[in-house]
């Protein structure tokens, strides 16, 4: 229901802004631009789904081998003490616990292409426990918020963009991103737990969250001791090694169980194709709305308005130039990426705005894209408090990013 109102709001606001531009500014090109955006974003939505088909087929096939080989069940048992507290409505030892862990681990390593199919697999497994098939359950919402908060330990792609655009120190945003994304994830867990009345002071859960804080601090310290070449090498190598270990480990586990790993892979890969087709309508709906909103000039008006308010209050407006990336990130990953590149091109890769745009890009994830894809893949229509929790986590990440960048740069 919330997505319905948001979707309508995009079009209504876009139409009002476009009409104002036509009447007061005589801008006759705004409506053609909006219509053109509907065609281009529809094509983009289909291309994204088509591009996901191969990746979905690969990783759902690998997941099927892991499921048949007992790896997923083993992970579920290991993580059961923590995840049963964070996801109390999921039965102990359920295989979805392993899928959730794999998805979170892939996100932390910046492996977006691997994380999406793993997340879709987890959603499908949670849907089997859902008694109201069109309504999001508490575990689904907690899982979605963990994804939208975008906890990333190794932002490889952002560092690559900075290198290409001539940054003197492409890795200087590593620690700021780590701090901002951790704040977003922690805020998401706390807010969702309050909504769902989960006791965060439970001994197991509290120690786990404290341990995560220590781990993040250790990673930050370790990478801060490296020069930029070594940091890039370690980041890329860790991501590649983890992927290779997962694939080989799952295959070896399947061989140990004496299953036909090839047939298991094919069975899972078929599900990948079906899932890719199923999400097309949801992607078209959300991306077209975002495209119209951008083309109307509503996004620019919003940025100018925020800048004016901050200036009127006597605040520092240095961060305003990077806000398009922050505002676009919950709506579209590719759009936010374009905003980030534009900010670095316009202001310079080593400027405050350029660096802050990178931190915005890495601090949260594409909330509405994830809502559309993950919930759409299992036919969820009523999202309950998912949007509110996801957006609050995003807001925490944005505020943390601004604070951290003022501190560092």
């Amino acid at each position: 229901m919330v997505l319905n109102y948001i979707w309508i709001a995009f079009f209504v606001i876009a139409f009002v802004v476009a009409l104002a531009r036509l009447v007061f500014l005589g801008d006759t090109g705004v409506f053609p631009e909006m219509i053109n955006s509907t065609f281009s974003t529809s094509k983009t939505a289909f291309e994204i789904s088509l591009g996901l088909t191969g990746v979905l087929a690969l990783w759902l096939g690998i997941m099927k081998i892991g499921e048949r080989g007992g790896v997923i069940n083993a992970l579920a048992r290991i993580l059961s003490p923590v995840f049963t507290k964070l996801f109390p409505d999921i039965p102990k030892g359920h295989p979805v616990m392993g899928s959730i862990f794999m998805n979170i681990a892939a996100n932390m390593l910046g492996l977006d292409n691997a994380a999406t199919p793993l997340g879709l697999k987890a959603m499908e497994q949670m849907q089997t426990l859902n008694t109201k098939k069109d309504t999001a359950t508490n575990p689904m919402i907690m899982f979605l918020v963990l994804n939208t908060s975008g906890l990333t330990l190794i932002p490889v792609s952002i560092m690559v963009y900075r290198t290409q655009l001539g940054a003197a120190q492409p890795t200087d945003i590593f620690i700021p991103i780590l701090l901002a994304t951790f704040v977003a994830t922690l805020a998401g867990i706390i807010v969702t737990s309050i909504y769902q009345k989960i006791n965060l002071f439970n001994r197991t859960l509290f120690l786990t969250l404290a341990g995560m804080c220590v781990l993040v601090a250790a990673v930050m310290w370790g990478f801060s001791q490296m020069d930029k070449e070594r940091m890039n090498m370690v980041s890329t190598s860790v991501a590649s090694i983890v992927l290779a270990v997962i694939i080989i480990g799952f295959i070896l586990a399947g061989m140990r169980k004496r299953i036909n790993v090839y047939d298991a892979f094919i069975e899972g890969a078929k599900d990948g194709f079906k899932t890719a087709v199923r999400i097309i309508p949801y992607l078209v709906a959300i991306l077209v709305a975002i495209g119209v909103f951008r083309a109307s000039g509503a996004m620019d008006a919003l940025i100018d308005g925020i800048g004016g308010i901050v200036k009127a209050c006597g605040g520092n407006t240095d961060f305003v130039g990077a806000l398009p990336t922050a505002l676009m990130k919950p709506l579209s990953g590719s759009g936010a990426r374009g905003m980030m590149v534009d900010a670095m091109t316009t202001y310079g890769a080593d400027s405050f705005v350029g660096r802050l745009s990178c931190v915005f890009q890495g601090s949260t994830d594409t909330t509405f894209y994830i809502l559309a894809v993950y919930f759409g893949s299992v036919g969820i229509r009523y999202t309950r408090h998912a949007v509110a929790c996801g957006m609050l986590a995003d807001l925490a990440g944005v505020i943390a990013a601004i604070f951290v960048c003022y501190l560092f740069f």
Side-chain angles (χ1 to χ4, degrees):
M1 187 63 71
V2 175
L3 275 178
N4 174 55
Y5 294 136
I6 291 172
W7 194 71
I8 293 172
F10 277 136
F11 284 102
V12 171
I13 294 171
F15 178 79
V16 171
V17 171
L19 191 61
R21 288 176 62 182
L22 177 63
V23 173
F24 297 108
L25 301 177
D27 187 353
T28 57
V30 62
F31 280 102
E33 189 176 347
M34 287 170 62
I35 296 302
N36 289 337
S37 75
T38 64
F39 294 109
S40 62
T41 51
S42 297
K43 180 182 178 183
T44 299
F46 178 76
E47 289 173 347
I48 289 173
S49 298
L50 192 64
L52 277 175
T53 304
V55 179
L56 284 168
L58 169 64
W59 284 100
L60 290 183
I62 295 297
M63 285 293 288
K64 181 62 70 173
I65 295 173
E67 185 180 321
R68 294 273 185 86
V71 178
I72 304 301
N73 287 332
L75 285 172
R77 288 194 298 272
I78 294 170
L79 297 170
S80 184
V82 176
F83 278 14
T84 51
K85 303 296 186 298
L86 206 56
F87 300 91
D89 294 339
I90 297 178
K92 291 184 179 181
H94 194 282
V96 70
M97 295 296 192
S99 299
I100 290 173
F101 172 78
M102 296 295 292
N103 167 266
I104 293 172
N107 274 323
M108 289 173 68
L109 293 170
L111 309 175
D112 296 338
N113 289 339
T116 299
L118 295 172
L120 292 173
K121 178 67 175 178
M123 288 296 288
E124 289 175 1
Q125 291 172 319
M126 282 186 277
Q127 182 70 338
T128 63
L129 302 171
N130 191 359
T131 55
K132 294 182 179 179
K133 298 301 181 182
D134 62 349
T135 303
T137 62
N138 283 349
M140 286 180 175
I141 294 172
M142 176 64 80
F143 176 65
L144 184 131
V145 171
L146 288 174
N147 273 268
T148 62
S149 61
L151 180 60
T152 303
L153 293 179
I154 308 175
V156 177
S157 61
I158 296 175
M159 291 191 287
V160 169
Y161 279 113
R162 287 184 56 74
T163 301
Q164 292 173 339
L165 292 171
Q169 184 80 0
T171 56
D172 59 7
I173 44 80
F174 171 77
I175 291 179
I177 286 178
L178 188 60
L179 287 169
T181 189
F182 181 70
V183 169
T185 301
L186 197 59
I189 291 173
I190 292 171
V191 170
T192 310
S193 297
I194 292 172
Y195 264 98
Q196 299 180 2
K197 298 180 180 178
I198 295 172
N199 180 18
L200 288 172
F201 293 100
N202 172 276
R203 185 173 181 271
T204 302
L205 201 53
F206 180 79
L207 289 176
T208 300
L209 293 176
M212 287 174 57
C213 293
V214 172
L215 176 62
V216 169
V219 171
M220 288 170 51
W221 179 84
F223 274 94
S224 67
Q225 306 303 307
M226 304 177 187
D227 56 37
K228 62 180 181 179
E229 291 83 7
R230 185 173 179 80
M231 189 183 292
N232 281 327
M233 181 190 71
V234 171
S235 299
T236 306
S237 298
V238 167
S240 301
I241 290 169
V242 168
L243 275 178
V245 168
I246 290 172
I247 294 172
I248 295 171
F250 278 26
I251 291 174
L252 291 176
M255 292 172 61
R256 182 174 176 272
K257 286 281 188 176
R258 297 183 180 179
I259 65 169
N260 189 321
V261 292
Y262 180 79
D263 286 347
F265 178 86
I266 296 299
E267 183 182 342
K270 288 179 181 177
D271 292 335
F273 178 78
K274 294 175 185 176
T275 301
V277 171
R278 210 161 48 231
I279 66 177
I280 292 174
Y282 299 92
L283 272 181
V284 170
I286 196 70
L287 291 186
V288 166
I290 292 167
V292 169
F293 189 78
R294 291 181 64 190
S296 71
M299 179 66 78
D300 293 334
L302 182 61
I303 295 298
D304 292 341
I306 293 173
I309 293 171
V310 172
K311 189 173 183 179
C313 294
N316 187 309
T317 60
D318 291 348
F319 71 92
V320 175
L323 277 183
T325 305
L327 295 177
M328 185 56 62
K329 189 60 191 283
L331 306 176
S332 167
S334 58
R337 194 178 303 114
M339 296 290 190
M340 176 188 72
V341 172
D342 179 68
M344 285 194 285
T345 303
T346 304
Y347 296 94
D350 289 327
S351 66
F352 179 80
V353 171
R355 285 167 166 158
L356 179 56
S357 292
C358 293
V359 179
F360 279 148
Q361 176 72 3
S363 62
T364 61
D365 214 326
T366 49
T367 299
F368 290 102
Y369 171 85
I370 292 173
L371 274 166
V373 172
Y374 280 28
F375 282 161
S377 69
V378 292
I380 295 295
R381 294 173 57 203
Y382 302 103
T383 60
R384 299 173 61 217
H385 52 278
V387 174
C389 292
M391 292 304 293
L392 285 171
D394 289 343
L395 178 61
V398 167
I399 293 173
I402 294 172
F403 177 79
V404 167
C405 283
Y406 273 116
L407 183 65
F408 275 76
F409 307 123

